[in-house]
């Protein structure tokens, strides 16, 4: 019988009186992260029973818009890389990366 290993990722959200996130902290002890502050997060979970993606998207009220644009761009690039690793679909990966370049250009993120 194999020993299963469990890893825990913890997210803590501090809300204001209107339930708007003021502070986000996360811990992933296996990754050496303990109670690190974050300004935004996106979490996607696949529900195979319903065949749909469940999502949690949060950002603090002091997350600057310019940083949010960079966060989205970097997330899109990471999703392209993950898509490639998961599917080995080089053609669609290239299309996704082209969109990432277009996104960055339109938001004037790349100089």
């Amino acid at each position: 019988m194999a020993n299963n290993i469990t890893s825990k990722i913890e997210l803590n959200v501090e809300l204001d009186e209107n339930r708007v996130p003021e502070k986000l902290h996360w811990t992933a002890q296996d990754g050496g992260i303990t109670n690190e502050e974050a300004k935004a997060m996106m979490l996607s979970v696949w529900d195979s029973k319903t065949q749909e993606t469940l999502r949690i998207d949060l950002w603090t009220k002091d997350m600057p818009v310019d940083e949010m644009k960079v966060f989205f761009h970097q997330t899109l690039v990471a999703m392209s890389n993950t898509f490639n690793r998961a599917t080995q679909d080089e053609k669609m990966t290239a299309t996704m990366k082209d969109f990432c370049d277009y996104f960055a250009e339109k938001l004037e993120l790349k100089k």
Side-chain angles (χ1 to χ4, degrees):
M1 180 191 291
N3 289 337
N4 289 336
I5 298 171
T6 301
S7 182
K8 181 177 178 181
I9 299 171
E10 185 177 315
L11 303 167
N12 292 299
V13 183
E14 184 179 315
L15 305 171
D16 69 9
E17 63 280 353
N18 297 313
R19 301 189 58 81
V20 174
E22 286 192 320
K23 294 186 188 250
L24 299 172
H25 288 89
W26 68 291
T27 298
Q29 289 184 346
D30 286 357
I33 307 294
T34 304
N35 205 35
E36 282 291 320
E37 186 173 359
K39 295 285 183 189
M41 63 159 275
M42 294 181 189
L43 175 66
S44 298
V45 178
W46 179 248
D47 184 334
S48 63
K49 289 181 218 155
T50 62
Q51 295 287 293
E52 64 183 355
T53 301
L54 308 174
R55 301 184 42 78
I56 299 173
D57 301 321
L58 297 173
W59 56 94
T60 60
K61 47 183 160 180
D62 65 340
M63 173 75 169
V65 172
D66 60 329
E67 288 183 26
M68 182 61 87
K69 291 176 180 180
V70 173
F71 175 60
F72 263 83
H73 177 255
Q74 290 180 4
T75 300
L76 290 168
V77 170
M79 287 174 64
S80 298
N81 294 333
T82 301
F83 179 82
N84 188 45
R85 283 194 320 274
T87 67
Q88 290 81 48
D89 186 333
E90 298 291 336
K91 187 174 180 183
M92 185 52 70
T93 299
T95 300
M96 292 173 72
K97 288 187 181 254
D98 286 345
F99 174 75
C100 292
D101 290 342
Y102 173 80
F103 186 91
E105 178 185 324
K106 290 299 178 187
L107 290 178
E108 299 178 353
L109 298 179
K110 292 186 177 182
K111 296 176 178 156

